[in-house]
Amino acid sequence: MKMTYKNSNQQTSLDTERDTSHRLLLQKADASIRQALPTVSDTHRLHYHLMPQAHWMNDPNGLVYYRGYYHVFYQHHPYSSDWGPMHWGHARTKDFITWEHLPIALAPSEDYDADGCFSGSAVVEGDLLHLFYTGHRVIDGELIQVQCKATSSDGIHFIKDRRNPLITSFPSDGSPDFRDPKVWRHHGSWYMVLGSGRDGRGNVLLYKSQDLTQWEYVGVLAHSDGTQGTIWECPDLFPLGDRHVLLISPMGVKDRRVMYFVGDMDYDVGKFTPEYVGTLDYGPDFYAVQTFSGTERRLMLAWMDAWECDIPSKKDNWAGALTLPRELVLDESGKLRAQPLPELQKLRQRSISVARSFVVEKDQSMPLTDLQDACLELNLVLALNSSTASHFTLCFCYTESSEQILIRYNKATGELYLDTSKIHVGQPGLYKAALHPPGERLELRIFLDRSSIEVFANQGEATITARIYPRSQTTIPRVFALDGQIKVKSLECWNLAK
Ligand code: FRU
């Protein structure tokens, strides 16, 4: 907020005071995390996913490649394992295998962001790294969300812009829910999309700027058809192949699954015309997805949890994680596919692989590996045409408890299910993805970590992501053939690095 009544010297000293008070708040927040570290229990800690060192995490923010590192910021409450006034936590990696936690980047320190630095994005301009975020306040029950910027020249320390907030109120097409700026450059201009909604329909609002500071409202880029949510959060728009893709995370729909739209963007009128709508992930724990800025590949991360659900690790003083990094591509039919990054192969340790095909007979179950672990990658290809069973079931059977995770495929309908209902802690449930049309082969690539499972079916045609909280540390994958035999074409399985 500008204090125009001060003369320039006074203004400078006020700015320095503000920077200092922000710095002190960041130090306090980092100290809170350091203090919590010894109290964080290992019980459900993940081995190869990014999670907070302690306390609460939600959305990935400011995903950007800058000076040789992939930077990942995230919504963070450093004072408890529940959501609270949002800070931006920060980590970076060169390879998506080894992560380095960095000092907290943003803390709510100003009038305009006093109740939280909400989600946003990052862009590189010359040597500088700019973060765009939503300043959040609730005053007498009224929501006030404004758009702000903070800048760094070393990728670690950020100074909030003197001219904040850069966008002070929502346009008449929006509502007080007006947040999550995603910024990018196109043909020499900067663009920003914001999530909002009006009259019960979620929408995405487009802004344009020449200098990243002065933003001009362009109009409604896209909106819900009336069934797709009341507020759209965390919008992201980007070119992919010769199309554009819009991602949104909806409020006001039952399952809150992230939606994607494939279509065309007309920059002259500021409109995106969707042609195809799909679900980005069919699991319960995949939300607030964002793609990276500054990379050739379209890489994405999502928050691997969900709002309003039980997170058992809170009692161990941490909550929340991000998904594995995934690459988005469009397939020949124009649908989006999400694949784990090839870099993740470096996680592979001991392996079992059966290259030739084998058959699991009717009413039999076959253990697929002796790699007893809770930290596995499994790649399985089934020959559906030569399998007579109507259903294929893969079970992760936990060894010291009766817990199970089931992955089931219905050959006739092409439906794939993830069933976590036999794990009683957390959010047990049954989740369905439709693979259309049912093909000749089913390829499943599964990543199991201590408290997460990510299923990639048919080269990312559908993915299902869930948090799981089994008591047991080890599991044996088994294939079940019920009313007929199942032909497995190939199988590979690895212990993954811890
Ligand atoms: C999405 C979201 C964002 C908001 C942030 C607050 O999960 O609700 O819209 O900026 O979380 O933490």
Side-chain angles (χ1 to χ4, degrees):
M1 211 170 287
K2 266 189 250 166
M3 308 283 271
T4 44
Y5 58 87
K6 298 276 178 195
N7 70 33
S8 61
N9 284 345
Q10 285 170 310
Q11 180 66 52
T12 312
S13 76
L14 189 71
D15 288 339
T16 319
E17 249 171 63
R18 284 183 171 163
D19 296 341
T20 307
S21 75
H22 186 216
R23 192 159 37 79
L24 292 176
L25 284 170
L26 292 171
Q27 284 169 4
K28 189 169 159 223
D30 280 325
S32 167
I33 293 296
R34 272 198 306 279
Q35 204 183 352
L37 287 182
T39 71
V40 173
S41 140
D42 267 356
T43 316
H44 291 113
R45 291 292 278 174
L46 293 155
H47 295 295
Y48 56 91
H49 286 81
L50 184 65
M51 58 193 161
Q53 292 175 283
H55 294 323
W56 172 270
M57 161 195 272
N58 57 291
D59 314 357
N61 292 158
L63 305 183
V64 66
Y65 189 74
Y66 178 62
R67 298 201 186 159
Y69 287 95
Y70 298 94
H71 286 260
V72 174
F73 301 83
Y74 53 89
Q75 292 281 278
H76 189 29
H77 185 221
Y79 295 105
S80 90
S81 301
D82 288 310
W83 187 85
M86 282 291 106
H87 294 55
W88 277 37
H90 188 190
R92 67 181 181 187
T93 181
K94 279 181 187 274
D95 55 5
F96 289 105
I97 303 288
T98 307
W99 290 92
E100 182 186 355
H101 285 277
L102 293 169
I104 293 174
L106 295 177
S109 61
E110 302 293 322
D111 287 348
Y112 56 77
D113 63 14
D115 294 324
C117 299
F118 271 21
S119 286
S121 58
V123 288
V124 176
E125 184 208 25
D127 247 9
L128 300 176
L129 179 59
H130 301 287
L131 305 182
F132 286 86
Y133 70 98
T134 297
H136 168 75
R137 270 175 305 165
V138 182
I139 298 175
D140 296 332
E142 195 197 334
L143 186 63
I144 303 172
Q145 299 194 324
V146 295
Q147 315 314 324
C148 311
K149 173 157 83 84
T151 298
S152 170
S153 54
D154 64 1
I156 296 177
H157 304 96
F158 292 85
I159 303 282
K160 291 182 183 175
D161 199 297
R162 316 292 184 224
R163 294 155 294 191
N164 280 345
L166 303 181
I167 303 178
T168 52
S169 63
F170 58 91
S172 59
D173 295 320
S175 63
D177 286 283
F178 175 58
R179 55 179 175 270
D180 310 335
K182 176 81 202 272
V183 176
W184 74 99
R185 196 172 172 83
H186 174 79
H187 286 178
S189 296
W190 295 99
Y191 290 86
M192 175 195 287
V193 276
L194 284 157
S196 193
R198 171 86 201 271
D199 302 329
R201 284 170 190 241
N203 63 21
V204 175
L205 307 175
L206 181 67
Y207 284 75
K208 186 174 180 181
S209 171
Q210 298 311 320
D211 61 1
L212 289 174
T213 304
Q214 286 195 313
W215 291 91
E216 167 203 340
Y217 178 55
V218 179
V220 177
L221 177 112
H223 58 80
S224 153
D225 65 4
T227 64
Q228 295 162 327
T230 51
I231 299 291
W232 282 359
E233 302 186 299
C234 304
D236 195 348
L237 178 84
F238 49 88
L240 201 59
D242 54 359
R243 310 305 305 272
H244 271 77
V245 174
L246 174 67
L247 308 178
I248 59 99
S249 297
M251 286 174 72
V253 279
K254 193 170 141 269
D255 288 330
R256 299 191 68 174
R257 302 270 183 268
V258 173
M259 284 179 233
Y260 74 86
F261 300 84
V262 181
D264 293 312
M265 175 67 194
D266 183 341
Y267 278 93
D268 292 335
V269 291
K271 289 250 173 301
F272 171 78
T273 309
E275 243 169 53
Y276 179 82
V277 54
T279 300
L280 192 51
D281 186 286
Y282 291 87
D285 293 305
F286 183 96
Y287 196 68
V289 64
Q290 187 178 108
T291 66
F292 274 83
S293 166
T295 54
E296 293 272 306
R297 297 177 293 174
R298 191 48 65 171
L299 309 181
M300 72 169 188
L301 287 170
W303 177 34
M304 195 164 58
D305 282 283
W307 291 113
E308 286 124 35
C309 77
D310 183 21
I311 302 184
S313 68
K314 282 186 185 180
K315 67 171 179 6
D316 299 325
N317 285 333
W318 71 284
L322 302 184
T323 60
L324 285 179
R326 305 177 186 180
E327 181 178 357
L328 290 175
V329 290
L330 283 182
D331 66 18
E332 323 77 59
S333 68
K335 293 186 189 139
L336 210 51
R337 284 175 186 247
Q339 294 263 50
L341 297 196
E343 283 93 321
L344 297 171
Q345 292 177 14
K346 292 214 194 88
L347 290 168
R348 293 172 178 173
Q349 311 271 292
R350 201 157 72 86
S351 77
I352 295 241
S353 97
V354 183
R356 58 185 171 73
S357 54
F358 61 92
V359 166
V360 183
E361 295 297 344
K362 179 171 179 287
D363 295 330
Q364 300 291 309
S365 94
M366 177 181 277
L368 292 185
T369 162
D370 65 354
L371 298 175
Q372 292 195 24
D373 204 334
C375 206
L376 293 174
E377 178 189 343
L378 192 121
N379 292 350
L380 187 68
V381 180
L382 299 183
L384 295 175
N385 280 358
S386 33
S387 298
T388 54
S390 65
H391 287 77
F392 152 78
T393 303
L394 171 66
C395 173
F396 289 97
C397 306
Y398 284 86
T399 45
E400 295 134 33
S401 60
S402 56
E403 296 161 309
Q404 294 182 344
I405 298 169
L406 299 170
I407 294 168
R408 202 174 303 121
Y409 180 72
N410 180 331
K411 210 171 108 180
T413 62
E415 285 162 344
L416 180 71
Y417 293 88
L418 172 67
D419 183 353
T420 63
S421 60
K422 293 202 171 65
I423 294 190
H424 303 294
V425 181
Q427 216 67 31
L430 179 66
Y431 310 101
K432 180 175 90 175
L435 302 177
H436 285 303
E440 286 177 13
R441 49 193 259 147
L442 171 66
E443 275 187 56
L444 290 177
R445 187 152 176 217
I446 299 164
F447 287 85
L448 196 68
D449 202 343
R450 178 68 180 93
S451 57
S452 70
I453 180 160
E454 290 163 272
V455 181
F456 298 83
N458 291 345
Q459 315 267 346
E461 179 190 340
T463 63
I464 314 182
T465 302
R467 295 303 299 277
I468 41 157
Y469 298 92
R471 287 195 305 278
S472 168
Q473 299 265 8
T474 54
T475 179
I476 302 179
R478 280 177 173 272
V479 168
F480 286 89
L482 288 182
D483 51 4
Q485 52 157 243
I486 288 168
K487 185 156 177 202
V488 177
K489 277 192 82 150
S490 66
L491 163 73
E492 294 167 295
C493 188
W494 293 266
N495 286 115
L496 297 184
K498 290 184 181 161

